[in-house]
Amino acid sequence: MIEGRSLIEPLNFTVEEMEALFSLAEKIEKESTRWNECCRGRLLATLFFEPSTRTRLSFEAAMLRLGGSCLGFAEPGSSSAAKGECLADTVRTVACYADVIVMRNPKEGAALVASRYADVPVINAGDGGHHHPTQTLTDLLTIKRLRGAIGGLTVGFCGDLKFGRTVHSLVKALARYSGINMVFISPLELSIPGYLKTGILAERKISWEETDSLDKMIGSLDILYMTRVQRERFFNEEDYIRLKDSYILTCEKMESAKKDMMVLHPLPRVNEIDLEVDKDPRAAYFKQAKYGMYVRMALLASILGVSNA
């Protein structure tokens, strides 16, 4: 269904198409050797104009585990962007060499621009504070695997909700599932953008509330989605320093949470989750990172038309 298509934002794929990806990811996880040659001869280009660990390496691991190959760069200084080459020329050139492009760029809308110039599918690995759709696939697969279903949940988003592209993407995707309630926990300066509240949340009649207190709301949550305050998005260092430690999840706070609440985090974390919380069975963020590789394997196999291996 998604063969040859780009993935720029989470609503590019229907719920049914995403569910098909989750089913494929589970099959790949259970029978990994069955898929280790399906992308033989295919090439993935990773164009990362911003730093990345999990997203870039999980995409590269996904392609290599499918039997394909990778090329690309991990920072713009090693590409012709450092010489002033425009994005359109970069992607048109890379599309001559690769079968699919994964790109991260600090500018909102860059992935959409790239998809209009490339002759191969483009996957958005993060465009500024806008979207991160493959992290959303990771988040949804994690919820499905650990909770059994995605609907009927109260999801709390905590931290940097203004600049957090992972939050923006996940809010849009979750709004399409039934019985979802959302709680937005942040300082006023980092609150969820208004376009989401007046847009998809209003259109889908999603129940939501805002608060600046994690302690007050943690007991009502089925999922707590923690995020770091993103230093690279601030124009003022003083504002970052003032807000960076607004919320720190500790074992003491976890005592007030439900026994089956899941803690997710797109990573990297800075200090918003105490290291001791890692020992809590409800801490799911490293499982989340592993599921990210499997869902990206499913995505690449599907886009390249080899998902029936």
Side-chain angles (χ1 to χ4, degrees), residues 47-72:
L47 311 185
F48 278 72
F49 297 85
E50 263 191 332
S52 172
T53 300
R54 276 149 298 278
T55 303
R56 183 175 64 85
L57 293 183
S58 67
F59 262 114
E60 291 179 358
M63 193 59 167
L64 293 171
R65 285 176 179 269
L66 292 171
S69 302
C70 303
L71 57 80

Side-chain angles (χ1 to χ4, degrees), residues 8-262:
I8 306 303
E9 62 110 347
L11 301 188
N12 286 153
F13 295 166
T14 65
V15 171
E16 292 73 24
E17 288 168 338
M18 291 196 300
E19 291 293 333
L21 284 174
F22 302 150
S23 295
L24 179 57
E26 292 182 42
K27 290 178 183 177
I28 291 172
E29 181 184 4
K30 292 175 183 176
E31 305 176 87
S32 58
T33 56
R34 177 184 167 191
W35 306 88
N36 59 13
E37 294 290 332
C38 70
C39 283
R40 181 68 58 192
R42 304 298 184 94
L43 196 58
L44 167 70
T46 54
L47 311 185
F48 278 72
F49 297 85
E50 263 191 332
S52 172
T53 300
R54 276 149 298 278
T55 303
R56 183 175 64 85
L57 293 183
S58 67
F59 262 114
E60 291 179 358
M63 193 59 167
L64 293 171
R65 285 176 179 269
L66 292 171
S69 302
C70 303
L71 57 80
F73 54 83
E75 52 91 19
S78 61
S79 76
S80 289
K83 303 175 184 177
E85 182 177 54
C86 69
L87 179 62
D89 284 359
T90 297
V91 297
R92 288 174 73 178
T93 300
V94 173
C96 296
Y97 313 139
D99 299 292
V100 59
I101 294 172
V102 174
M103 189 183 81
R104 171 170 291 184
N105 195 287
K107 295 181 180 179
E108 284 84 356
L112 179 60
V113 171
S115 70
R116 290 174 174 170
Y117 285 94
D119 292 330
V120 299
V122 173
I123 300 172
N124 183 7
D127 59 333
H130 198 209
H131 288 303
H132 196 340
T134 66
Q135 181 62 49
T136 296
L137 292 175
T138 298
D139 301 337
L140 293 177
L141 176 61
T142 304
I143 294 169
K144 184 172 184 180
R145 290 298 308 276
L146 300 183
R147 296 285 309 202
I150 297 173
L153 300 170
T154 297
V155 183
F157 297 90
C158 182
D160 182 355
L161 311 188
K162 179 179 181 180
F163 299 113
R165 60 192 172 201
T166 61
V167 171
H168 304 165
S169 287
L170 184 54
V171 166
K172 292 182 76 171
L174 280 174
R176 300 195 293 183
Y177 288 85
S178 63
I180 294 291
N181 303 298
M182 300 189 193
V183 180
F184 302 119
I185 306 162
S186 73
L188 180 62
E189 297 95 327
L190 298 178
S191 60
I192 196 79
Y195 81 88
L196 288 170
K197 292 183 283 188
T198 60
I200 195 165
L201 296 180
E203 293 164 5
R204 298 274 176 172
K205 296 181 170 57
I206 300 298
S207 171
W208 61 271
E209 61 181 297
E210 288 184 287
T211 179
D212 62 0
S213 175
L214 175 58
D215 293 349
K216 176 183 174 182
M217 300 305 301
I218 193 170
S220 66
L221 304 178
D222 298 307
I223 296 168
L224 174 59
Y225 196 90
M226 294 293 295
T227 66
R228 69 185 173 94
V229 176
Q230 300 179 79
R231 186 174 197 164
E232 64 271 27
R233 308 288 176 219
F234 278 78
F235 297 106
N236 187 315
E237 180 74 7
E238 292 179 359
D239 287 342
Y240 167 74
I241 292 172
R242 177 169 55 85
L243 295 169
K244 67 184 180 71
D245 294 331
S246 296
Y247 303 99
I248 299 176
L249 183 64
T250 62
C251 293
E252 182 180 5
K253 286 185 172 66
M254 290 291 288
E255 291 176 3
S256 301
K258 294 179 180 180
K259 298 301 181 184
D260 62 348
M261 184 191 76
M262 285 170 48

